[in-house]
Amino acid sequence: MKDIINAINHWIQVLPKEYNSMSETEISNRPLPNKWSKKEILGHLCDSAINNIVRFVKIQYSEQPYVIQSYNQEQWVAVQNYQGRPLGEILTLFQNLNKQVINIIMNIPAEKLTYLCDTGNTQQTLQWLIQDYIAHMEHHINKQILIKGHD
């Protein structure tokens, strides 16, 4: 878990610098009408944190396997209007939500990392879900945010 905490802390520090080095056009441009802008991708990462905070907490005390509730990612991004919000607000939200994720991870007793959750396709452990959280985050950061002109 220490590696995951370090990775999240890394992005809490680095991502604002990366975004602040980009032009407004670069962060707001949608490469295609049905694709998110870099600003909306950051909002999506906030939504992921919100949903996973709930999961990481509930798995620890709910009957196993805890059934993961999916969410409509497109609607979450649209309804919260990340595209129309100031970048600074979204960056602060990203940082604060991920500080909370770290707080939760740091306080999970080791034996609870083996607790099971039902993802809809399979059963996985809480530890797997936490690893998947950072893998998902880094996928979006490395494949869409940090490259010039994402698709």
Side-chain angles (χ1 to χ4, degrees):
M1 290 293 115
K2 186 156 184 55
D3 288 346
I4 292 171
I5 291 167
N6 289 341
I8 296 170
N9 264 323
H10 170 77
W11 293 117
I12 287 171
Q13 299 303 314
V14 170
L15 214 49
K17 294 173 188 158
E18 292 291 340
Y19 268 93
N20 287 323
S21 73
M22 297 178 203
S23 69
E24 181 64 34
T25 301
E26 187 176 355
I27 64 168
S28 298
N29 180 57
R30 290 184 176 132
L32 294 168
N34 63 335
K35 296 284 186 180
W36 290 331
S37 68
K38 291 183 182 195
K39 192 190 276 192
E40 289 170 311
I41 294 166
L42 181 62
H44 167 65
L45 293 178
C46 292
D47 296 343
S48 174
I50 291 165
N51 280 275
N52 280 288
I53 285 168
V54 172
R55 294 167 181 168
F56 297 165
V57 170
K58 286 187 169 185
I59 289 169
Q60 294 186 62
Y61 68 81
S62 298
E63 182 178 330
Q64 290 183 57
Y66 172 77
V67 177
I68 300 273
Q69 298 295 313
S70 64
Y71 66 102
N72 186 320
Q73 299 171 13
E74 299 288 335
Q75 288 299 319
W76 274 63
V77 168
V79 168
Q80 294 184 86
N81 187 32
Y82 290 117
Q83 185 73 351
R85 306 242 334 252
L87 175 62
E89 286 181 12
I90 307 169
L91 285 167
T92 299
L93 182 62
F94 173 84
Q95 290 175 304
N96 288 330
L97 287 167
N98 280 288
K99 287 176 185 175
Q100 183 63 19
V101 168
I102 289 170
N103 178 63
I104 293 165
I105 293 170
M106 288 175 55
N107 288 287
I108 298 173
E111 68 274 7
K112 290 189 177 184
L113 291 171
T114 62
Y115 282 19
L116 295 175
C117 58
D118 182 343
T119 64
N121 300 325
T122 184
Q123 287 189 6
Q124 299 289 350
T125 64
L126 174 54
Q127 181 168 342
W128 178 90
L129 194 63
I130 293 167
Q131 291 167 332
D132 186 62
Y133 173 76
I134 188 64
H136 168 261
M137 179 192 294
E138 290 185 334
H139 165 80
H140 283 293
I141 291 170
N142 292 319
K143 302 282 189 206
Q144 297 174 312
I145 295 171
L146 297 183
I147 64 167
K148 300 291 180 195
H150 75 85
D151 58 3

